[in-house]
């Protein structure tokens, strides 16, 4: 079994910009299915993950970002300074945590699944 291959019948949303909510029917599907909490992971934390998490929070969803299931790349500042990927990752997660999302490790997130059913 391919661990990243969609399961039969699983919904797919193809995004074309940084936010998974722009140009897709993601919000409509989540509202219709009465989904209130989103777990977000992916590439790249300071772009698509952050934009989607911020937008989801602004739309009223509870957002959890899986810290160890996101990545960042080295960034070059407007003034030429370079910031390594580890620093970009840490600062990006810190910017989301407590304001737009709760940032947790995957193991902690998985331990919560089913707790409130």
């Amino acid at each position: 079994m391919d661990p990243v291959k969609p399961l039969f019948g699983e919904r797919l949303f193809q995004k074309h910009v940084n936010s998974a909510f722009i140009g897709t029917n993601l919000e409509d599907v989540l509202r219709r299915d009465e989904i209130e909490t989103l777990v977000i992971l992916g590439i790249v934390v300071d772009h698509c993950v952050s934009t989607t998490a911020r937008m989801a929070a602004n739309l009223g969803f509870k957002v959890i970002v899986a810290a160890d299931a996101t990545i960042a790349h080295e960034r070059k500042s407007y003034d030429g300074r370079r910031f390594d990927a580890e620093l970009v990752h840490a600062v990006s997660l810190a910017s989301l945590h407590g304001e737009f999302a709760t940032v947790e490790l995957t193991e902690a997130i998985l331990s919560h699944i089913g707790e409130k059913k």
Side-chain angles (χ1 to χ4, degrees), residues 46-89:
D46 55 317
H47 284 256
C48 298
V49 172
S50 177
T51 304
T52 298
R54 289 166 187 263
M55 192 162 185
N58 286 333
L59 290 169
F61 293 97
K62 177 182 178 189
V63 180
I64 302 168
V65 174
D68 54 342
T70 62
I71 68 164
H73 300 294
E74 177 184 280
R75 297 288 178 204
K76 184 177 178 182
S77 178
Y78 67 93
D79 61 2
R81 291 182 294 158
R82 293 197 175 274
F83 302 100
D84 67 35
E86 186 176 311
L87 177 62
V88 173
H89 189 256

Side-chain angles (χ1 to χ4, degrees), residues 3-117:
V4 295
K5 184 177 179 181
L7 300 174
F8 179 77
E10 188 172 26
R11 291 187 187 110
L12 298 177
F13 301 90
Q14 186 168 354
K15 67 181 194 60
H16 301 281
V17 296
N18 291 339
S19 174
F21 289 96
I22 301 297
T24 70
N25 67 336
L26 176 59
E27 181 183 5
D28 294 335
V29 169
L30 294 171
R31 302 261 188 235
R32 184 186 69 228
D33 291 351
E34 299 179 347
I35 295 170
E36 299 173 350
T37 302
L38 306 179
V39 176
I40 300 177
L41 53 108
I43 305 169
V44 172
V45 73
D46 55 317
H47 284 256
C48 298
V49 172
S50 177
T51 304
T52 298
R54 289 166 187 263
M55 192 162 185
N58 286 333
L59 290 169
F61 293 97
K62 177 182 178 189
V63 180
I64 302 168
V65 174
D68 54 342
T70 62
I71 68 164
H73 300 294
E74 177 184 280
R75 297 288 178 204
K76 184 177 178 182
S77 178
Y78 67 93
D79 61 2
R81 291 182 294 158
R82 293 197 175 274
F83 302 100
D84 67 35
E86 186 176 311
L87 177 62
V88 173
H89 189 256
V91 170
S92 297
L93 292 173
S95 294
L96 291 172
H97 186 68
E99 180 73 23
F100 298 99
T102 299
V103 177
E104 295 186 44
L105 297 176
T106 301
E107 185 175 329
I109 295 168
L110 292 174
S111 73
H112 299 309
I113 293 177
E115 280 183 359
K116 297 186 178 185
K117 284 189 175 183

